[in-house]
Amino acid sequence: MKRLPEITDKVKRNLIWKSIFRRDYRNNVRDRAQAIFGNVFLHLHPVQVRESAVKLRFTWGMGGITFFAFITLVITGVVLMFYYHPTIDQAYTDIKDLEFQVPFGVILRNLHRWGAHFMVIVVMIHMFRVFMTGSYKAPRQFNWGIGVFLLVLTFLLSFTGYLTPWDQLGFWAITVGTNMGAATPLLGYQGPFSEYLHITPYNDVRFALLGGAQVGGNALLRSYIWHCVAIPLISIILMFVHFWRVRKDGGISKPQK
Amino acid sequence: MNPFIEIITQPDNIAIVIMIIMVTFFMVWAFQQAFQNDRLLAAGLPVDGEKDKFVDTFKPLVRIELIIAIVVMVGLTVWSIAVDAPLEEIANPTITPNPAKAPWYFLGLQELLVYFDPWLAGVVLPSLIVVGLLAIPYIDINPKGNGYYTFSERKYAIMIFSFGFFVLWLLLIVIGVFFRGPGWLWYWPWQEWDHARVVFEPTKDLTSLIGVDSRSLPGFIIGALVVGSYLVGGMIAPYRYWKKNNPELLAKLGIVRYVTIIFLFITMMSIPIKMVLRLVFLIKYIWITPWFNV
Ligand code: HEM
């Protein structure tokens, strides 16, 4: 058997390896920088960061954890989509099939469900941390605003996902939630002043949300599309603006006095 | 089984238990660091992080990110192996569960329905929460406490935010999850849910306390005066107080900021006020109009 260093040496001189990593990594300033900006994912980061960005006690890593939860949800969500039809006839039995037919279907669904709860929890804690360190103050006011939209989107992501299993829990949670839309002033049929705009259950906000006057097939399709396509897309765009701004605003905030 | 154990071990409620634990942990950690920095500030010493140097991103930061990712992944996997996501009966529009609860993070808002009509609890107040959060960086003009934990330098900002976050948002969620049963009635965790229970609470409207029918014209006028003087008085009182005691602050804030801050603040405080009126004095509405009730 050859010794390990010899093997690694050989691998590193291999044509394929070299085409991927381009150059050898020696632990010097230049290569440490190259490791960051030579990598499309890592180069979200600057080459050097302040110590507080590395110490857990300042950020708690909460923004990063939120992002990680999101990635987990995208991956498990895409796999779930292979097994799911957003129709009243099939949605519920598809979920049942996950339980009894699909290999690892239960754990797949569990990961997506608990990951979603987890993301909502950590995004709130992230906001609390940003508030407590005063990191919304100049020059980061705008990024706080992006964050508020991300918070709302996180709630909406979870909310739209609630209906997809088409069980009693989701059905009534969405019914309760969207009934609030009917109470919108001017635009909901039960809201104040809506009669002056001739608003009825068939043309109000709630109708637009549900694609009907009741939670039914159209509502299922709508929530599915918001949940799997529209809101994730908007969130991803805003997340990248968010990360970009963290850098452009001078990195993780440091004491300014 | 003990109903309390039953409630907190319901699969979806485990998330709330985890939330309570995490939020408490980070709350303590944040305030502990804040007080620690406050002591340093009082002694004229640099706060935590002020003397920070730069380090390479590769590997210290990349390493810790990887470790966190692994820890979170392991945690979620263990959680997913240990607890199965529930699936209830197939959706059935003819069978209404009692209570029908919104998703847990909206239960604070659902709880507000006890105290406010839906257009306020479900539409206006949530919108104002978002507007208020967006406004925070622009209305908080205190330049201190930027980039480090501190309490002493931002007492009021932190107290107001914490009240909103911990009490009006999180505590109401916990109440909605653990203490609300059929008919949205209050149940202690050790009480059995009773679907036949009705509680007759003879609620009245504010004006009927002084013997005026709240649906009559005088009732309408009195109600309007009460709501109006809360808004106008709430707007003017801090102005007069600061004018006397802290005119520089007023000058720095300017009129737009002042009005925004006070409007958001009195809106927020209307929630605990309405709660006390309802729970202690059994008052349902303060002002009844042909279009809406407050
Ligand atoms: C999907 C949701 C979100 C993701 C993925 C996210 C991600 C991140 C990440 C990775 C950071 C870097 C520092 C850290 O980890 O703390 C960060 C910083 C920041 N976030 Fe978020 N965030 C989200 C939501 C929010 C929310 C809800 C707010 C506030 C309302 C917010 C405001 C900020 C601000 C102001 C910073 C800069 C903090 C500093 O420089 O110290 N973000 N975010």
Side-chain angles (χ1 to χ4, degrees):
Chain A
M1 237 190 69
K2 286 187 190 166
R3 291 199 345 277
L4 191 64
E6 274 172 49
I7 301 177
T8 38
D9 208 49
K10 208 158 176 202
V11 171
K12 281 188 178 174
R13 265 184 285 121
N14 179 286
L15 218 59
I16 300 174
W17 177 277
K18 275 169 120 179
S19 75
I20 299 173
F21 293 100
R22 309 185 90 174
R23 49 202 307 253
D24 199 8
Y25 177 79
R26 281 161 263 110
N27 195 9
N28 59 29
V29 182
R30 199 163 164 231
D31 283 4
R32 286 197 295 269
Q34 174 69 29
I36 296 301
F37 60 66
N39 179 305
V40 65
F41 303 107
L42 290 181
H43 106 288
L44 258 174
H45 294 304
V47 167
Q48 290 202 315
V49 289
R50 235 170 268 112
E51 276 171 294
S52 55
V54 180
K55 283 185 254 169
L56 262 186
R57 66 170 176 273
F58 189 70
T59 67
W60 311 332
M62 270 309 152
I65 294 177
T66 312
F67 185 51
F68 184 71
F70 180 76
I71 295 174
T72 323
L73 290 166
V74 170
I75 294 171
T76 51
V78 167
V79 183
L80 281 171
M81 284 171 80
F82 289 133
Y83 299 102
Y84 178 82
H85 305 79
T87 64
I88 299 185
D89 294 330
Q90 282 166 290
Y92 185 76
T93 47
D94 283 346
I95 305 291
K96 274 266 186 260
D97 278 352
L98 280 176
E99 208 171 316
F100 299 111
Q101 305 291 328
V102 180
F104 299 108
V106 175
I107 201 159
L108 181 66
R109 176 158 177 255
N110 291 350
L111 272 175
H112 198 72
R113 175 81 153 247
W114 307 141
H117 284 333
F118 183 71
M119 182 173 171
V120 174
I121 297 170
V122 289
V123 73
M124 298 192 306
I125 297 179
H126 171 58
M127 179 179 78
F128 174 63
R129 172 318 262 181
V130 172
F131 184 87
M132 288 302 286
T133 56
S135 302
Y136 58 81
K137 300 190 178 197
R140 295 182 179 76
Q141 300 102 320
F142 179 71
N143 214 17
W144 168 271
I146 300 283
V148 173
F149 283 105
L150 282 170
L151 177 79
V152 174
L153 286 170
T154 306
F155 289 143
L156 291 181
L157 263 179
S158 175
F159 184 65
T160 49
Y162 244 72
L163 189 62
T164 49
W166 200 248
D167 68 344
Q168 280 288 74
L169 182 77
F171 182 88
W172 288 100
I174 297 297
T175 305
V176 171
T178 48
N179 273 345
M180 293 294 117
T184 313
L186 293 171
L187 298 177
Y189 80 97
Q190 289 170 334
F193 307 116
S194 61
E195 62 269 28
Y196 302 117
L197 296 182
H198 305 288
I199 297 290
T200 69
Y202 299 95
N203 63 5
D204 71 340
V205 192
R206 186 166 161 278
F207 191 91
L209 292 174
L210 297 179
Q214 252 114 46
V215 180
N218 285 349
L220 180 58
L221 184 62
R222 279 186 192 201
S223 71
Y224 172 78
I225 292 171
W226 280 113
H227 183 72
C228 301
V229 185
I231 305 180
L233 270 179
I234 303 169
S235 306
I236 288 171
I237 292 170
L238 284 187
M239 276 182 208
F240 280 94
V241 178
H242 195 61
F243 300 159
W244 174 254
R245 283 302 288 239
V246 171
R247 275 195 71 171
K248 292 293 141 179
D249 294 341
I252 306 296
S253 55
K254 68 152 199 234
Q256 278 168 14
K257 289 202 279 182
Chain B
M1 213 196 315
N2 175 320
F4 182 57
I5 308 280
E6 205 171 327
I7 289 181
I8 65 166
T9 52
Q10 260 177 32
D12 278 304
N13 291 350
I14 290 174
I16 318 296
V17 176
I18 291 178
M19 178 190 80
I20 296 174
I21 295 169
M22 284 182 73
V23 165
T24 313
F25 175 83
F26 286 107
M27 178 185 75
V28 170
W29 204 6
F31 278 97
Q32 184 235 325
Q33 294 192 66
F35 295 140
Q36 195 174 320
N37 278 340
D38 286 349
R39 280 192 291 276
L40 293 171
L41 285 166
L45 296 169
V47 294
D48 185 29
E50 204 169 335
K51 289 259 170 337
D52 265 6
K53 288 186 283 297
F54 278 92
V55 292
D56 287 320
T57 304
F58 195 83
K59 299 167 185 160
L61 181 61
V62 176
R63 182 195 299 127
I64 196 154
E65 285 174 346
L66 190 67
I67 294 173
I68 293 180
I70 293 171
V71 171
V72 171
M73 198 63 241
V74 169
L76 284 179
T77 310
V78 169
W79 187 0
S80 301
I81 291 173
V83 190
D84 281 345
L87 182 66
E88 298 193 354
E89 296 295 298
I90 191 165
N92 185 345
T94 59
I95 301 177
T96 314
N98 185 8
K101 290 190 182 182
W104 62 268
Y105 37 83
F106 288 151
L107 282 188
L109 301 174
Q110 199 176 354
E111 179 69 16
L112 290 185
L113 284 172
V114 178
Y115 312 99
F116 294 95
D117 277 358
W119 66 279
L120 274 172
V123 185
V124 174
L125 291 175
S127 312
L128 285 178
I129 295 174
V130 174
V131 171
L133 284 174
L134 286 171
I136 286 176
Y138 305 99
I139 56 184
D140 177 2
I141 53 168
N142 175 3
K144 289 192 183 153
N146 184 345
Y148 52 98
Y149 293 94
T150 169
F151 180 70
S152 63
E153 293 187 335
R154 318 170 38 212
K155 279 197 203 84
Y156 296 105
I158 290 181
M159 282 191 304
I160 295 172
F161 183 86
S162 298
F163 180 66
F165 186 64
F166 291 112
V167 180
L168 295 184
W169 186 256
L170 295 175
L171 184 68
L172 290 193
I173 288 176
V174 171
I175 289 177
V177 174
F178 295 123
F179 298 95
R180 289 299 184 179
W184 210 255
L185 295 177
W186 184 281
Y187 281 86
W188 293 104
W190 54 86
Q191 277 178 308
E192 247 9 287
W193 279 11
D194 174 4
H195 285 266
R197 179 174 151 210
V198 250
V199 170
F200 179 68
E201 275 185 319
T203 55
K204 356 181 216 316
D205 298 329
L206 184 71
T207 53
S208 45
L209 285 188
I210 51 166
V212 178
D213 180 3
S214 56
R215 285 170 200 278
S216 65
L217 186 62
F220 172 82
I221 293 172
I222 296 173
L225 284 176
V226 173
V227 173
S229 46
Y230 175 69
L231 293 176
V232 177
M235 206 43 98
I236 293 174
Y239 181 85
R240 305 195 52 180
Y241 177 79
W242 280 335
K243 191 94 201 161
K244 215 164 106 208
N245 297 299
N246 197 348
E248 310 90 66
L249 177 70
L250 270 188
K252 252 192 261 160
L253 281 178
I255 184 74
V256 178
R257 246 193 229 110
Y258 175 84
V259 172
T260 317
I261 294 177
I262 301 298
F263 172 70
L264 289 170
F265 183 72
I266 55 185
T267 311
M268 174 165 150
M269 292 321 285
S270 72
I271 295 171
I273 291 175
K274 199 79 203 285
M275 285 178 162
V276 171
L277 286 180
R278 177 73 176 64
L279 296 176
V280 181
F281 301 101
L282 295 180
I283 287 173
K284 188 156 169 61
Y285 292 121
I286 297 171
W287 181 29
I288 294 200
T289 79
W291 309 278
F292 58 85
N293 304 328
V294 182

